[in-house]
Amino acid sequence: MNLTDLIHEFENREALQNTDEVVEAHALTMTGDGNIKTPSGSNLALTDWSRSQLSSLLGVRWDKWFSRASGEERADEVNRRLGRMGETKLKLRSSQSRPDNNDADGVLDGIVTPSYSAIPDSQVARLVAGALALNEPELRVIRNFSTTMTTSYVVAVGKPQGRGGVVGAMWGGVLIQNSSVGYSCLSIEAHVT
């Protein structure tokens, strides 16, 4: 895969993202099936990461706290705690992705502070491409891994260096890691694969 192909992948994924919504915590409600209803009427399924963020906000250990609770009991407790947060403002990062076996309108990807600004993966990749294009015409991606929390990829720089023995060929490159949901900050580092 080359970096141009990866940029297109990022752009396609980013096209599914909804506009960020800043809401007061008490205006959110959980439904009996575990989705979050927003003031704008969206019905969003939680990812593992957004559920973890919600757990931290509410002060509960989700799996332990709700292990024996029905969906309605869980919703009642979550709604009570959201109500107690009052006018605390939260920024919701969501997408139009449709989760399996769920009638949600989309997915709640992350719950961040109102001042949080995500840096789109496609924008970072274009900046890296522009910086490396003069010295590296191919811009090959030698590793690419994305989750609901982070994106991580390595762009090769130069040719592989083989020293023989156990190690094998080593590639120089640039490691880019980013998160658009508050999991980690953007980092761009020199890297050896």
Side-chain angles (χ1 to χ4, degrees):
M1 169 183 276
N2 65 38
L3 191 54
T4 303
D5 295 333
L6 188 58
I7 290 170
H8 292 307
E9 267 187 42
F10 291 153
E11 289 171 339
N12 290 338
R13 189 170 57 204
E14 290 162 5
L16 294 175
Q17 292 175 337
N18 295 322
T19 303
D20 292 348
E21 189 174 352
V22 177
V23 300
E24 294 179 351
H26 70 86
L28 296 173
T29 56
M30 176 170 269
T31 64
D33 57 1
N35 295 338
I36 295 292
K37 283 253 191 213
T38 68
S40 66
S42 295
N43 181 33
L44 302 171
L46 294 168
T47 64
D48 289 341
W49 174 241
S50 60
R51 185 174 59 239
S52 171
Q53 290 175 306
L54 185 59
S55 294
S56 294
L57 284 169
L58 301 178
V60 299
R61 291 180 59 199
W62 198 273
D63 292 335
K64 188 170 191 151
W65 191 275
F66 297 123
S67 65
R68 296 183 187 167
S70 70
E72 294 303 322
E73 291 171 328
R74 179 187 56 219
D76 287 343
E77 183 62 29
V78 168
N79 292 335
R80 186 174 14 266
R81 287 174 180 253
L82 285 168
R84 288 183 189 143
M85 291 180 69
E87 297 178 4
T88 302
K89 296 210 184 298
L90 306 169
K91 183 185 280 189
L92 306 180
R93 299 209 26 90
S94 64
S95 64
Q96 300 166 22
S97 302
R98 299 283 180 166
D100 295 334
N101 303 322
N102 194 316
D103 63 349
D105 303 327
V107 173
L108 180 57
D109 296 312
I111 304 168
V112 294
T113 63
S115 62
Y116 180 84
S117 293
I119 303 170
D121 289 321
S122 61
Q123 181 180 2
V124 174
R126 279 193 294 276
L127 290 170
V128 169
L132 295 178
L134 293 175
N135 298 317
E136 193 59 46
E138 289 185 48
L139 295 176
R140 292 184 308 126
V141 176
I142 56 176
R143 191 180 90 199
N144 175 26
F145 185 71
S146 293
T147 68
T148 57
M149 299 180 297
T150 62
T151 300
S152 174
Y153 56 99
V154 176
V155 179
V157 176
K159 302 290 180 214
Q161 302 296 310
R163 299 225 175 223
V166 180
V167 175
M170 296 187 334
W171 286 85
V174 177
L175 169 65
I176 298 94
Q177 295 177 304
N178 192 22
S179 174
S180 63
V181 294
Y183 181 75
S184 64
C185 62
L186 169 65
S187 70
I188 302 173
E189 303 172 356
H191 184 74
V192 175
T193 300

